[in-house]
Amino acid sequence: MVSPRQNQIEQLKSQNFDLLVIGGGITGAGIALDAATRGLSVALVEKGDFASGTSSKSTKLIHGGLRYLKQFELKVVHDVGQERAIVHRLAPHLVKPEKMLLPIYRGGTFGKFGTSLGLWLYDFLAGVKKEDRRKMLTVSRSLEAEALLRKENLLGGGLYAEYRTDDARLTIEVVKTAIRFGAACLNYVEVTNFIDENGQLTGAHCQDFTEGNAFEIKAKTIVNAAGPWVDSLREIDKSLNNKRLFLSKGTHIVVPWKRLPLRHSVYFDVKDGRMVFAIPRQRATYIGTTDQPFKGDKGAVFAENPEIEYLLDAANALFPSVKLALSDVESTWAGLRPLIYEEGKSAGEMSRKDEIFISKSGLISVAGGKLTGYRKMAQKLVDLVLKQQRQTPIVCVTKQVALTEVPFANMQEVLDFQRFIEAKLSALDDPQTTAIYLTENYGRIAEQIVAQAFSEGKKSDEALVLAELAYCLENELVQTPTDFFERRTGLLYFDIQRVQRHLEAVLLAFQNHLNWSSAKLDAERAAMLDLMKKLRPWSV
Ligand code: FAD
């Protein structure tokens, strides 16, 4: 019998696509969606799982980037700032408003006046609605907002609007939406070389890692959206010139919310002059990030002890009473920013602007940029593809394309739905947190997942996890337990105990669904256990 995956590969082999996108991070996913909604035939291949590169390793903010204001990158702040409200509207359950507190200390990056003016400009550039605009707080109001702040030298604070998301979930929702519009998107397929006819690319050689087949995809235009791997593909295309990527590593750590019980996200100064976020997220709080040049294996990027200690020191300096220790860290992640190299600038100083390179062979490479600006970046790129293909311009419609099958109209609907789900989970521990988690991850599909989980009458957390898995196996192209625990659910970062509790049941469900041999089951178990160790490097 031909597997559904094999069917998809047959489809990829049989067509001459308008566009082949290489890379299933947010950039590639956004481009595939934009092109598919404008009527182009689109193929997208991803060598690992969707979002397995940088797009599951960010700070998970849909933000204008206050730091860019500091660097006078007003256009970046304007463009990505405006995008926040758009992406929120397209998926309000997944891109949620989040108040950010910027505490002001004597001798800090922004003084009181600077913060007030900076946040005003930030709101102005991003077109923030009146009711959401920044509020300046006195010392006592700042402490009312966050009681754990260091009191010494505190001058006040600025409270302003941002949005929080889950980067990997956002990516998969964009991929699923692209598929709904007819794009053929497949994970675990790597582009290994290009097909060149008379100096022009006409397709790519691909390798499928799940069933071991090599095959070709033909396309009129090829877009290289390979994030940190963009230059590897430019090298294959022999088009790597002096405009190159510069990879900067950023690490985050996760502690239990109970150990750092914040009410708001906080963006704060660190003694080396950098700024770091501390972000509450249900039962956890995460802290990040670092910004260090990276030269190692792009496929194996993990937090290292000095980075973890740097982040713990940063948090302890701002919240001195909590005294976080290594033993509080439950999980970590680290990713690579694919920045455009600029002579003489440090990692932190380099621009986060996106850039497009077009090679002689016609390969279009896109790099830099931010999660937040993915939709706009995709629009720009597809405009270019249409121009190159001499097609009549077709208007970009992604501002109107909801990133879920049955969308929520606004935040109130999200909150009402969350309460509805919470009522159904009353037999479980902490139904509120689980309801928020399910709604953020799956939107209205959460109802279907809960119904399936409890269909046999037994209301357990394990039944719920297995119903989530069943949904992801059927609808989200999940191939391995890591896909599920790291990128579809985020549990590996934010609730690692839940992973430990349900790992065996999940492995067995995979075995049944994908007909795994016991050797394959053992290999997948070993891969998960190894990954969990790498996320806690001090314990190895
Ligand atoms: P990736 O997500 O890396 O995707 C590229 C994909 O291409 C990979 O999955 C890879 O496997 C695949 N690929 C590579 N080679 C091949 C091949 N030959 N064949 C097939 N597939 C291939 N932005 C924000 O807006 N908000 C934030 O809060 C934020 N925080 C950040 C924090 C950190 C620490 C970092 C590192 C970045 C942050 N960013 C943030 C930036 C944002 O995460 C990135 O701009 C974005 O995720 C890049 O996405 P991408 O699709 O270009 O790259």
Side-chain angles (χ1 to χ4, degrees), residues 22-23 25-27 46-47 53-55 57-61 63 189-191 225-229 250 289 335-337 369-372:
I22 309 171
I26 191 68
T27 307
E46 160 56 53
K47 75 181 168 74
T54 305
S55 299
K57 313 289 177 12
S58 77
T59 308
K60 307 180 192 301
L61 290 174
H63 65 152
V189 172
E190 179 170 8
V191 166
W229 292 267
T289 173
L336 300 176
R337 300 173 187 87
K370 295 184 60 63
L371 183 77
T372 310

PDB file of all heavy atoms in Angstrom, residues 22-23 25-27 46-47 53-55 57-61 63 189-191 225-229 250 289 335-337 369-372, ligand 1:
ATOM      1  N   ILE A  22      12.557  26.427  -0.206  1.00  0.00           N
ATOM      2  CA  ILE A  22      13.415  25.542   0.588  1.00  0.00           C
ATOM      3  C   ILE A  22      13.466  26.090   2.008  1.00  0.00           C
ATOM      4  O   ILE A  22      13.925  27.210   2.237  1.00  0.00           O
ATOM      5  CB  ILE A  22      14.850  25.478   0.011  1.00  0.00           C
ATOM      6  CG1 ILE A  22      14.809  25.173  -1.486  1.00  0.00           C
ATOM      7  CG2 ILE A  22      15.688  24.458   0.773  1.00  0.00           C
ATOM      8  CD1 ILE A  22      16.167  25.304  -2.168  1.00  0.00           C
ATOM      9  N   GLY A  23      12.983  25.306   2.970  1.00  0.00           N
ATOM     10  CA  GLY A  23      13.010  25.730   4.365  1.00  0.00           C
ATOM     11  C   GLY A  23      11.619  25.908   4.925  1.00  0.00           C
ATOM     12  O   GLY A  23      10.824  26.699   4.409  1.00  0.00           O
ATOM     13  N   GLY A  25      10.847  26.988   8.043  1.00  0.00           N
ATOM     14  CA  GLY A  25      10.746  27.880   9.196  1.00  0.00           C
ATOM     15  C   GLY A  25       9.663  28.898   8.897  1.00  0.00           C
ATOM     16  O   GLY A  25       8.938  28.783   7.890  1.00  0.00           O
ATOM     17  N   ILE A  26       9.558  29.932   9.732  1.00  0.00           N
ATOM     18  CA  ILE A  26       8.483  30.910   9.522  1.00  0.00           C
ATOM     19  C   ILE A  26       8.651  31.644   8.195  1.00  0.00           C
ATOM     20  O   ILE A  26       7.660  31.951   7.524  1.00  0.00           O
ATOM     21  CB  ILE A  26       8.378  31.911  10.711  1.00  0.00           C
ATOM     22  CG1 ILE A  26       7.106  32.742  10.623  1.00  0.00           C
ATOM     23  CG2 ILE A  26       9.593  32.817  10.806  1.00  0.00           C
ATOM     24  CD1 ILE A  26       5.843  31.997  10.836  1.00  0.00           C
ATOM     25  N   THR A  27       9.902  31.872   7.752  1.00  0.00           N
ATOM     26  CA  THR A  27      10.101  32.617   6.501  1.00  0.00           C
ATOM     27  C   THR A  27       9.563  31.811   5.320  1.00  0.00           C
ATOM     28  O   THR A  27       8.764  32.314   4.518  1.00  0.00           O
ATOM     29  CB  THR A  27      11.606  32.922   6.299  1.00  0.00           C
ATOM     30  OG1 THR A  27      12.098  33.554   7.478  1.00  0.00           O
ATOM     31  CG2 THR A  27      11.847  33.814   5.103  1.00  0.00           C
ATOM     32  N   GLU A  46      11.270  20.858   3.792  1.00  0.00           N
ATOM     33  CA  GLU A  46      11.989  21.181   5.023  1.00  0.00           C
ATOM     34  C   GLU A  46      12.826  19.951   5.397  1.00  0.00           C
ATOM     35  O   GLU A  46      12.290  18.849   5.466  1.00  0.00           O
ATOM     36  CB  GLU A  46      10.955  21.531   6.114  1.00  0.00           C
ATOM     37  CG  GLU A  46      11.447  21.431   7.535  1.00  0.00           C
ATOM     38  CD  GLU A  46      12.691  22.268   7.831  1.00  0.00           C
ATOM     39  OE1 GLU A  46      12.698  23.467   7.560  1.00  0.00           O
ATOM     40  OE2 GLU A  46      13.681  21.665   8.355  1.00  0.00           O
ATOM     41  N   LYS A  47      14.124  20.170   5.639  1.00  0.00           N
ATOM     42  CA  LYS A  47      14.994  19.002   5.840  1.00  0.00           C
ATOM     43  C   LYS A  47      14.776  18.306   7.190  1.00  0.00           C
ATOM     44  O   LYS A  47      15.055  17.126   7.332  1.00  0.00           O
ATOM     45  CB  LYS A  47      16.460  19.375   5.652  1.00  0.00           C
ATOM     46  CG  LYS A  47      17.114  20.164   6.766  1.00  0.00           C
ATOM     47  CD  LYS A  47      18.563  20.443   6.370  1.00  0.00           C
ATOM     48  CE  LYS A  47      19.228  21.455   7.248  1.00  0.00           C
ATOM     49  NZ  LYS A  47      19.598  20.989   8.569  1.00  0.00           N
ATOM     50  N   GLY A  53      14.496  24.727  12.898  1.00  0.00           N
ATOM     51  CA  GLY A  53      15.644  25.641  12.955  1.00  0.00           C
ATOM     52  C   GLY A  53      15.364  26.752  13.960  1.00  0.00           C
ATOM     53  O   GLY A  53      14.856  26.507  15.062  1.00  0.00           O
ATOM     54  N   THR A  54      15.637  27.984  13.550  1.00  0.00           N
ATOM     55  CA  THR A  54      15.497  29.120  14.477  1.00  0.00           C
ATOM     56  C   THR A  54      14.047  29.345  14.890  1.00  0.00           C
ATOM     57  O   THR A  54      13.781  29.859  15.982  1.00  0.00           O
ATOM     58  CB  THR A  54      16.043  30.396  13.789  1.00  0.00           C
ATOM     59  OG1 THR A  54      17.383  30.122  13.367  1.00  0.00           O
ATOM     60  CG2 THR A  54      16.066  31.574  14.720  1.00  0.00           C
ATOM     61  N   SER A  55      13.107  28.948  14.049  1.00  0.00           N
ATOM     62  CA  SER A  55      11.711  29.314  14.295  1.00  0.00           C
ATOM     63  C   SER A  55      11.041  28.572  15.457  1.00  0.00           C
ATOM     64  O   SER A  55       9.835  28.749  15.673  1.00  0.00           O
ATOM     65  CB  SER A  55      10.883  29.166  13.012  1.00  0.00           C
ATOM     66  OG  SER A  55      11.389  30.014  12.027  1.00  0.00           O
ATOM     67  N   LYS A  57      13.112  28.611  18.338  1.00  0.00           N
ATOM     68  CA  LYS A  57      14.119  28.943  19.349  1.00  0.00           C
ATOM     69  C   LYS A  57      14.159  30.438  19.660  1.00  0.00           C
ATOM     70  O   LYS A  57      15.140  30.920  20.210  1.00  0.00           O
ATOM     71  CB  LYS A  57      15.500  28.484  18.856  1.00  0.00           C
ATOM     72  CG  LYS A  57      15.585  27.079  18.285  1.00  0.00           C
ATOM     73  CD  LYS A  57      15.451  26.040  19.370  1.00  0.00           C
ATOM     74  CE  LYS A  57      15.441  24.601  18.896  1.00  0.00           C
ATOM     75  NZ  LYS A  57      15.815  24.296  17.543  1.00  0.00           N
ATOM     76  N   SER A  58      13.134  31.161  19.284  1.00  0.00           N
ATOM     77  CA  SER A  58      13.169  32.609  19.481  1.00  0.00           C
ATOM     78  C   SER A  58      12.671  32.954  20.886  1.00  0.00           C
ATOM     79  O   SER A  58      12.356  32.082  21.678  1.00  0.00           O
ATOM     80  CB  SER A  58      12.288  33.294  18.435  1.00  0.00           C
ATOM     81  OG  SER A  58      10.926  33.160  18.780  1.00  0.00           O
ATOM     82  N   THR A  59      12.547  34.243  21.156  1.00  0.00           N
ATOM     83  CA  THR A  59      11.988  34.685  22.454  1.00  0.00           C
ATOM     84  C   THR A  59      10.460  34.594  22.418  1.00  0.00           C
ATOM     85  O   THR A  59       9.795  34.821  23.414  1.00  0.00           O
ATOM     86  CB  THR A  59      12.479  36.117  22.769  1.00  0.00           C
ATOM     87  OG1 THR A  59      13.902  36.145  22.640  1.00  0.00           O
ATOM     88  CG2 THR A  59      12.146  36.545  24.175  1.00  0.00           C
ATOM     89  N   LYS A  60       9.923  34.252  21.296  1.00  0.00           N
ATOM     90  CA  LYS A  60       8.493  33.975  21.116  1.00  0.00           C
ATOM     91  C   LYS A  60       7.656  35.244  21.316  1.00  0.00           C
ATOM     92  O   LYS A  60       6.543  35.203  21.820  1.00  0.00           O
ATOM     93  CB  LYS A  60       8.025  32.837  22.046  1.00  0.00           C
ATOM     94  CG  LYS A  60       8.922  31.587  21.858  1.00  0.00           C
ATOM     95  CD  LYS A  60       8.545  30.429  22.719  1.00  0.00           C
ATOM     96  CE  LYS A  60       9.605  29.331  22.733  1.00  0.00           C
ATOM     97  NZ  LYS A  60       9.956  28.741  21.466  1.00  0.00           N
ATOM     98  N   LEU A  61       8.243  36.373  20.920  1.00  0.00           N
ATOM     99  CA  LEU A  61       7.512  37.632  20.989  1.00  0.00           C
ATOM    100  C   LEU A  61       7.186  38.101  19.584  1.00  0.00           C
ATOM    101  O   LEU A  61       8.010  37.969  18.678  1.00  0.00           O
ATOM    102  CB  LEU A  61       8.365  38.715  21.663  1.00  0.00           C
ATOM    103  CG  LEU A  61       8.617  38.536  23.147  1.00  0.00           C
ATOM    104  CD1 LEU A  61       9.600  39.588  23.639  1.00  0.00           C
ATOM    105  CD2 LEU A  61       7.317  38.612  23.949  1.00  0.00           C
ATOM    106  N   HIS A  63       6.951  41.319  18.346  1.00  0.00           N
ATOM    107  CA  HIS A  63       7.253  42.634  18.930  1.00  0.00           C
ATOM    108  C   HIS A  63       7.898  43.579  17.926  1.00  0.00           C
ATOM    109  O   HIS A  63       8.509  43.164  16.952  1.00  0.00           O
ATOM    110  CB  HIS A  63       8.118  42.503  20.179  1.00  0.00           C
ATOM    111  CG  HIS A  63       9.494  41.953  19.940  1.00  0.00           C
ATOM    112  ND1 HIS A  63      10.557  42.258  20.750  1.00  0.00           N
ATOM    113  CD2 HIS A  63       9.963  41.116  18.999  1.00  0.00           C
ATOM    114  CE1 HIS A  63      11.631  41.628  20.300  1.00  0.00           C
ATOM    115  NE2 HIS A  63      11.314  40.928  19.262  1.00  0.00           N
ATOM    116  N   VAL A 189      12.452  16.421   4.173  1.00  0.00           N
ATOM    117  CA  VAL A 189      12.930  16.328   2.786  1.00  0.00           C
ATOM    118  C   VAL A 189      13.978  17.430   2.585  1.00  0.00           C
ATOM    119  O   VAL A 189      13.668  18.611   2.740  1.00  0.00           O
ATOM    120  CB  VAL A 189      11.772  16.517   1.778  1.00  0.00           C
ATOM    121  CG1 VAL A 189      12.320  16.623   0.358  1.00  0.00           C
ATOM    122  CG2 VAL A 189      10.775  15.359   1.866  1.00  0.00           C
ATOM    123  N   GLU A 190      15.194  17.025   2.261  1.00  0.00           N
ATOM    124  CA  GLU A 190      16.276  18.000   2.113  1.00  0.00           C
ATOM    125  C   GLU A 190      16.593  18.253   0.637  1.00  0.00           C
ATOM    126  O   GLU A 190      16.633  17.310  -0.161  1.00  0.00           O
ATOM    127  CB  GLU A 190      17.542  17.465   2.803  1.00  0.00           C
ATOM    128  CG  GLU A 190      18.718  18.415   2.663  1.00  0.00           C
ATOM    129  CD  GLU A 190      19.913  18.031   3.523  1.00  0.00           C
ATOM    130  OE1 GLU A 190      19.892  16.932   4.120  1.00  0.00           O
ATOM    131  OE2 GLU A 190      20.860  18.826   3.582  1.00  0.00           O
ATOM    132  N   VAL A 191      16.824  19.516   0.302  1.00  0.00           N
ATOM    133  CA  VAL A 191      17.357  19.829  -1.033  1.00  0.00           C
ATOM    134  C   VAL A 191      18.862  19.603  -0.970  1.00  0.00           C
ATOM    135  O   VAL A 191      19.563  20.227  -0.172  1.00  0.00           O
ATOM    136  CB  VAL A 191      17.017  21.282  -1.438  1.00  0.00           C
ATOM    137  CG1 VAL A 191      17.850  21.726  -2.639  1.00  0.00           C
ATOM    138  CG2 VAL A 191      15.541  21.393  -1.769  1.00  0.00           C
ATOM    139  N   ALA A 225      14.939  29.785   1.641  1.00  0.00           N
ATOM    140  CA  ALA A 225      14.548  30.380   2.928  1.00  0.00           C
ATOM    141  C   ALA A 225      15.072  29.478   4.036  1.00  0.00           C
ATOM    142  O   ALA A 225      14.348  29.101   4.946  1.00  0.00           O
ATOM    143  CB  ALA A 225      13.027  30.517   3.004  1.00  0.00           C
ATOM    144  N   ALA A 226      16.365  29.137   3.920  1.00  0.00           N
ATOM    145  CA  ALA A 226      16.935  28.102   4.796  1.00  0.00           C
ATOM    146  C   ALA A 226      17.520  28.660   6.093  1.00  0.00           C
ATOM    147  O   ALA A 226      18.290  27.971   6.773  1.00  0.00           O
ATOM    148  CB  ALA A 226      17.981  27.305   4.012  1.00  0.00           C
ATOM    149  N   GLY A 227      17.182  29.899   6.448  1.00  0.00           N
ATOM    150  CA  GLY A 227      17.614  30.467   7.725  1.00  0.00           C
ATOM    151  C   GLY A 227      19.130  30.381   7.863  1.00  0.00           C
ATOM    152  O   GLY A 227      19.870  30.809   6.966  1.00  0.00           O
ATOM    153  N   PRO A 228      19.624  29.796   8.964  1.00  0.00           N
ATOM    154  CA  PRO A 228      21.075  29.725   9.177  1.00  0.00           C
ATOM    155  C   PRO A 228      21.808  28.944   8.078  1.00  0.00           C
ATOM    156  O   PRO A 228      23.023  29.023   7.979  1.00  0.00           O
ATOM    157  CB  PRO A 228      21.197  29.003  10.524  1.00  0.00           C
ATOM    158  CG  PRO A 228      19.882  29.191  11.184  1.00  0.00           C
ATOM    159  CD  PRO A 228      18.863  29.286  10.100  1.00  0.00           C
ATOM    160  N   TRP A 229      21.075  28.176   7.273  1.00  0.00           N
ATOM    161  CA  TRP A 229      21.696  27.369   6.217  1.00  0.00           C
ATOM    162  C   TRP A 229      21.635  28.065   4.842  1.00  0.00           C
ATOM    163  O   TRP A 229      21.992  27.462   3.840  1.00  0.00           O
ATOM    164  CB  TRP A 229      21.000  26.010   6.116  1.00  0.00           C
ATOM    165  CG  TRP A 229      21.212  25.124   7.303  1.00  0.00           C
ATOM    166  CD1 TRP A 229      22.188  24.176   7.451  1.00  0.00           C
ATOM    167  CD2 TRP A 229      20.433  25.091   8.501  1.00  0.00           C
ATOM    168  NE1 TRP A 229      22.060  23.566   8.676  1.00  0.00           N
ATOM    169  CE2 TRP A 229      20.987  24.111   9.335  1.00  0.00           C
ATOM    170  CE3 TRP A 229      19.328  25.808   8.953  1.00  0.00           C
ATOM    171  CZ2 TRP A 229      20.468  23.813  10.605  1.00  0.00           C
ATOM    172  CZ3 TRP A 229      18.813  25.539  10.214  1.00  0.00           C
ATOM    173  CH2 TRP A 229      19.388  24.550  11.021  1.00  0.00           C
ATOM    174  N   GLY A 250      21.540  32.636  20.509  1.00  0.00           N
ATOM    175  CA  GLY A 250      20.757  33.169  21.622  1.00  0.00           C
ATOM    176  C   GLY A 250      20.174  32.030  22.439  1.00  0.00           C
ATOM    177  O   GLY A 250      19.595  31.100  21.890  1.00  0.00           O
ATOM    178  N   THR A 289      17.602  36.838  26.225  1.00  0.00           N
ATOM    179  CA  THR A 289      18.449  35.870  25.574  1.00  0.00           C
ATOM    180  C   THR A 289      19.894  36.346  25.601  1.00  0.00           C
ATOM    181  O   THR A 289      20.160  37.482  26.034  1.00  0.00           O
ATOM    182  CB  THR A 289      17.964  35.630  24.118  1.00  0.00           C
ATOM    183  OG1 THR A 289      18.864  34.817  23.422  1.00  0.00           O
ATOM    184  CG2 THR A 289      17.747  36.898  23.368  1.00  0.00           C
ATOM    185  N   GLY A 335      19.123  29.072  19.893  1.00  0.00           N
ATOM    186  CA  GLY A 335      18.935  29.151  18.435  1.00  0.00           C
ATOM    187  C   GLY A 335      19.900  30.130  17.801  1.00  0.00           C
ATOM    188  O   GLY A 335      20.628  30.850  18.505  1.00  0.00           O
ATOM    189  N   LEU A 336      19.890  30.137  16.477  1.00  0.00           N
ATOM    190  CA  LEU A 336      20.827  30.982  15.726  1.00  0.00           C
ATOM    191  C   LEU A 336      20.090  32.067  14.959  1.00  0.00           C
ATOM    192  O   LEU A 336      19.178  31.767  14.187  1.00  0.00           O
ATOM    193  CB  LEU A 336      21.604  30.126  14.725  1.00  0.00           C
ATOM    194  CG  LEU A 336      22.436  28.995  15.327  1.00  0.00           C
ATOM    195  CD1 LEU A 336      23.079  28.182  14.222  1.00  0.00           C
ATOM    196  CD2 LEU A 336      23.490  29.539  16.289  1.00  0.00           C
ATOM    197  N   ARG A 337      20.498  33.312  15.169  1.00  0.00           N
ATOM    198  CA  ARG A 337      19.941  34.406  14.347  1.00  0.00           C
ATOM    199  C   ARG A 337      20.712  34.443  13.034  1.00  0.00           C
ATOM    200  O   ARG A 337      21.931  34.631  13.052  1.00  0.00           O
ATOM    201  CB  ARG A 337      20.130  35.760  15.041  1.00  0.00           C
ATOM    202  CG  ARG A 337      19.463  35.886  16.380  1.00  0.00           C
ATOM    203  CD  ARG A 337      19.851  37.211  17.054  1.00  0.00           C
ATOM    204  NE  ARG A 337      19.343  37.241  18.418  1.00  0.00           N
ATOM    205  CZ  ARG A 337      19.971  36.756  19.468  1.00  0.00           C
ATOM    206  NH1 ARG A 337      21.146  36.174  19.339  1.00  0.00           N
ATOM    207  NH2 ARG A 337      19.438  36.814  20.672  1.00  0.00           N
ATOM    208  N   GLY A 369      15.838  39.397   9.092  1.00  0.00           N
ATOM    209  CA  GLY A 369      14.419  39.530   9.413  1.00  0.00           C
ATOM    210  C   GLY A 369      14.051  38.945  10.756  1.00  0.00           C
ATOM    211  O   GLY A 369      14.907  38.497  11.513  1.00  0.00           O
ATOM    212  N   LYS A 370      12.745  38.963  11.022  1.00  0.00           N
ATOM    213  CA  LYS A 370      12.246  38.532  12.322  1.00  0.00           C
ATOM    214  C   LYS A 370      10.976  37.706  12.137  1.00  0.00           C
ATOM    215  O   LYS A 370      10.287  37.837  11.142  1.00  0.00           O
ATOM    216  CB  LYS A 370      11.908  39.746  13.188  1.00  0.00           C
ATOM    217  CG  LYS A 370      13.110  40.576  13.540  1.00  0.00           C
ATOM    218  CD  LYS A 370      12.786  41.715  14.462  1.00  0.00           C
ATOM    219  CE  LYS A 370      12.194  41.269  15.779  1.00  0.00           C
ATOM    220  NZ  LYS A 370      13.058  40.455  16.599  1.00  0.00           N
ATOM    221  N   LEU A 371      10.707  36.915  13.155  1.00  0.00           N
ATOM    222  CA  LEU A 371       9.453  36.170  13.201  1.00  0.00           C
ATOM    223  C   LEU A 371       8.282  37.141  12.953  1.00  0.00           C
ATOM    224  O   LEU A 371       7.403  36.903  12.116  1.00  0.00           O
ATOM    225  CB  LEU A 371       9.353  35.561  14.601  1.00  0.00           C
ATOM    226  CG  LEU A 371       8.201  34.668  14.950  1.00  0.00           C
ATOM    227  CD1 LEU A 371       8.425  33.309  14.333  1.00  0.00           C
ATOM    228  CD2 LEU A 371       8.080  34.538  16.471  1.00  0.00           C
ATOM    229  N   THR A 372       8.314  38.261  13.672  1.00  0.00           N
ATOM    230  CA  THR A 372       7.227  39.236  13.632  1.00  0.00           C
ATOM    231  C   THR A 372       6.928  39.730  12.214  1.00  0.00           C
ATOM    232  O   THR A 372       5.782  39.964  11.863  1.00  0.00           O
ATOM    233  CB  THR A 372       7.589  40.445  14.522  1.00  0.00           C
ATOM    234  OG1 THR A 372       8.000  39.947  15.786  1.00  0.00           O
ATOM    235  CG2 THR A 372       6.434  41.397  14.689  1.00  0.00           C
TER     236      THR A 372
HETATM  237  P1  FAD B   1      14.596  28.888  10.279  1.00  0.00           P
HETATM  238  O1  FAD B   1      13.510  28.856  11.250  1.00  0.00           O
HETATM  239  O2  FAD B   1      15.928  28.447  10.758  1.00  0.00           O
HETATM  240  O3  FAD B   1      14.140  28.005   9.066  1.00  0.00           O
HETATM  241  C1  FAD B   1      14.998  27.592   8.045  1.00  0.00           C
HETATM  242  C2  FAD B   1      14.711  26.130   7.780  1.00  0.00           C
HETATM  243  O4  FAD B   1      15.366  25.715   6.599  1.00  0.00           O
HETATM  244  C3  FAD B   1      15.217  25.215   8.888  1.00  0.00           C
HETATM  245  O5  FAD B   1      14.113  24.596   9.522  1.00  0.00           O
HETATM  246  C4  FAD B   1      16.118  24.219   8.170  1.00  0.00           C
HETATM  247  O6  FAD B   1      16.025  22.907   8.661  1.00  0.00           O
HETATM  248  C5  FAD B   1      15.639  24.328   6.728  1.00  0.00           C
HETATM  249  N1  FAD B   1      16.664  23.955   5.748  1.00  0.00           N
HETATM  250  C6  FAD B   1      17.962  24.323   5.744  1.00  0.00           C
HETATM  251  N2  FAD B   1      18.593  23.775   4.690  1.00  0.00           N
HETATM  252  C7  FAD B   1      17.676  23.041   4.007  1.00  0.00           C
HETATM  253  C8  FAD B   1      17.741  22.229   2.848  1.00  0.00           C
HETATM  254  N3  FAD B   1      18.870  22.091   2.170  1.00  0.00           N
HETATM  255  N4  FAD B   1      16.617  21.596   2.441  1.00  0.00           N
HETATM  256  C9  FAD B   1      15.449  21.748   3.128  1.00  0.00           C
HETATM  257  N5  FAD B   1      15.349  22.504   4.244  1.00  0.00           N
HETATM  258  C10 FAD B   1      16.446  23.151   4.681  1.00  0.00           C
HETATM  259  N6  FAD B   1      12.012  37.306  16.080  1.00  0.00           N
HETATM  260  C11 FAD B   1      10.898  37.900  16.560  1.00  0.00           C
HETATM  261  O7  FAD B   1      10.123  38.462  15.795  1.00  0.00           O
HETATM  262  N7  FAD B   1      10.578  37.875  17.889  1.00  0.00           N
HETATM  263  C12 FAD B   1      11.412  37.338  18.816  1.00  0.00           C
HETATM  264  O8  FAD B   1      11.082  37.305  19.997  1.00  0.00           O
HETATM  265  C13 FAD B   1      12.628  36.778  18.357  1.00  0.00           C
HETATM  266  N8  FAD B   1      13.493  36.272  19.241  1.00  0.00           N
HETATM  267  C14 FAD B   1      14.613  35.638  18.798  1.00  0.00           C
HETATM  268  C15 FAD B   1      15.472  35.088  19.741  1.00  0.00           C
HETATM  269  C16 FAD B   1      16.563  34.323  19.322  1.00  0.00           C
HETATM  270  C17 FAD B   1      17.465  33.703  20.345  1.00  0.00           C
HETATM  271  C18 FAD B   1      16.775  34.109  17.937  1.00  0.00           C
HETATM  272  C19 FAD B   1      17.897  33.240  17.507  1.00  0.00           C
HETATM  273  C20 FAD B   1      15.958  34.705  16.996  1.00  0.00           C
HETATM  274  C21 FAD B   1      14.869  35.484  17.420  1.00  0.00           C
HETATM  275  N9  FAD B   1      13.994  36.094  16.508  1.00  0.00           N
HETATM  276  C22 FAD B   1      12.875  36.733  16.953  1.00  0.00           C
HETATM  277  C23 FAD B   1      14.224  35.999  15.065  1.00  0.00           C
HETATM  278  C24 FAD B   1      13.390  34.873  14.460  1.00  0.00           C
HETATM  279  O9  FAD B   1      13.337  33.762  15.295  1.00  0.00           O
HETATM  280  C25 FAD B   1      13.985  34.478  13.110  1.00  0.00           C
HETATM  281  O10 FAD B   1      14.092  35.625  12.312  1.00  0.00           O
HETATM  282  C26 FAD B   1      13.144  33.460  12.357  1.00  0.00           C
HETATM  283  O11 FAD B   1      12.746  32.392  13.179  1.00  0.00           O
HETATM  284  C27 FAD B   1      13.944  32.925  11.173  1.00  0.00           C
HETATM  285  O12 FAD B   1      13.137  32.022  10.489  1.00  0.00           O
HETATM  286  P2  FAD B   1      13.628  31.327   9.159  1.00  0.00           P
HETATM  287  O13 FAD B   1      12.486  30.607   8.612  1.00  0.00           O
HETATM  288  O14 FAD B   1      14.298  32.334   8.299  1.00  0.00           O
HETATM  289  O15 FAD B   1      14.785  30.338   9.632  1.00  0.00           O
END
